[in-house]
């Protein structure tokens, strides 16, 4: 059994402008994580018995609290590659068509999780099959590579991804009014 001190902090709401609010949360701070240029605090919430992740730059007035003797549950290891700090909705083997100039970058991200094969003899692309955590952040990660990556399969995940792409294009009404080649 581990003894940890509880903590409370003010956090801010991102609705239009930064405004801090006080909300008492009895959290057990467990780990500080640096991920993608941000610092997060991973905590265990005794009240709902769930793991929580908070961005440290959105907190202030962190105050130590009572000592807890709660036995922390084991943290689940991800079943595949996770592209951000938050729990994916589900894990899935996805196949991506990736332009060769991105191959080094993909190997850095996927490492041993990836299976790579040529797309075709004449194409400058490869296919990468990888077990990933799928959520909106994964889709945004794919979008960040523009036309360098195409999500090929599975059909369900490709459809979800295309729905996100359509939402993004909806923010540009002048694009949808033009005819595409």
């Amino acid at each position: 059994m581990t003894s940890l001190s509880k903590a409370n902090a003010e956090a801010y709401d991102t609705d239009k402008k930064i405004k801090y609010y006080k909300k008492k949360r009895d959290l057990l701070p467990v780990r500080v994580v640096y991920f993608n240029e941000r610092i997060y605090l991973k905590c265990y919430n005794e009240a709902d018995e769930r793991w929580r992740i908070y961005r440290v730059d959105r907190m202030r007035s962190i105050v130590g609290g009572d000592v807890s003797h709660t036995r922390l549950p084991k943290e689940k290891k991800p079943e595949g590659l996770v592209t951000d700090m938050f729990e994916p909705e589900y894990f899935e083997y996805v196949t991506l068509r990736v332009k060769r100039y991105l191959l080094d970058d993909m190997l850095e991200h996927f490492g041993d999780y990836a299976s790579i094969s040529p797309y075709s003899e004449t194409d400058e692309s490869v296919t990468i099959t990888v077990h990933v955590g799928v959520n909106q952040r994964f889709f945004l990660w794919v979008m960040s590579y523009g036309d360098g990556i195409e999500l090929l399969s599975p059909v369900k995940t490709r459809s979800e991804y295309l729905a996100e792409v359509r939402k993004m294009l909806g923010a540009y009404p002048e694009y949808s009014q033009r005819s595409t080649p």
Side-chain angles (χ1 to χ4, degrees):
M1 189 174 309
T2 308
S3 294
L4 294 171
S5 292
K6 295 180 184 179
N8 279 287
E10 290 181 9
Y12 74 74
D13 190 353
T14 56
D15 184 35
K16 297 183 185 169
K17 66 177 188 170
I18 296 174
K19 62 180 177 199
Y20 284 91
Y21 60 92
K22 284 189 178 201
K23 182 176 180 182
K24 185 173 178 7
R25 293 184 176 114
D26 283 330
L27 304 171
L28 299 174
V30 176
R31 177 178 304 116
V32 175
V33 179
Y34 181 76
F35 185 85
N36 206 19
E37 304 298 317
R38 293 199 169 99
I39 299 173
Y40 297 88
L41 182 62
K42 187 164 189 176
C43 302
Y44 184 70
N45 186 328
E46 288 180 299
D48 63 7
E49 298 181 337
R50 293 181 59 196
W51 290 100
R52 301 288 184 170
I53 298 172
Y54 299 94
R55 277 186 43 188
V56 173
D57 64 320
R58 292 186 176 175
M59 301 168 74
R60 73 175 187 190
S61 304
I62 300 171
V63 179
D66 300 332
V67 173
S68 173
H69 298 287
T70 299
R71 182 180 298 266
L72 296 175
K74 284 195 172 208
E75 296 180 61
K76 291 192 297 186
K77 282 191 123 183
E79 299 172 30
L81 181 81
V82 179
T83 56
D84 78 331
M85 279 298 302
F86 300 97
E87 186 84 19
E89 292 172 28
Y90 59 93
F91 285 88
E92 183 79 79
Y93 281 97
V94 299
T95 301
L96 307 168
R97 179 180 174 190
V98 178
K99 292 189 177 171
R100 287 187 187 274
Y101 71 86
L102 292 173
L103 190 53
D104 284 344
D105 201 33
M106 295 299 108
L107 289 172
E108 280 184 33
H109 281 289
F110 299 144
D112 292 338
Y113 287 108
S115 170
I116 301 169
S117 58
Y119 184 71
S120 74
E121 293 296 323
T122 58
D123 194 43
E124 284 298 311
S125 299
V126 296
T127 56
I128 298 177
T129 301
V130 62
H131 199 230
V132 297
V134 178
N135 59 10
Q136 186 183 30
R137 291 294 203 173
F138 170 69
F139 296 144
L140 293 173
W141 178 83
V142 172
M143 284 182 209
S144 74
Y145 287 96
D147 69 348
I149 295 181
E150 177 186 1
L151 200 161
L152 297 174
S153 65
V155 172
K156 173 186 178 256
T157 306
R158 181 179 168 97
S159 296
E160 291 171 352
Y161 173 69
L162 291 174
E164 289 297 319
V165 170
R166 285 185 195 95
K167 276 197 268 183
M168 182 184 71
L169 288 174
Y172 301 93
E174 67 276 9
Y175 177 79
S176 60
Q177 292 171 1
R178 291 188 299 153
S179 61
T180 56

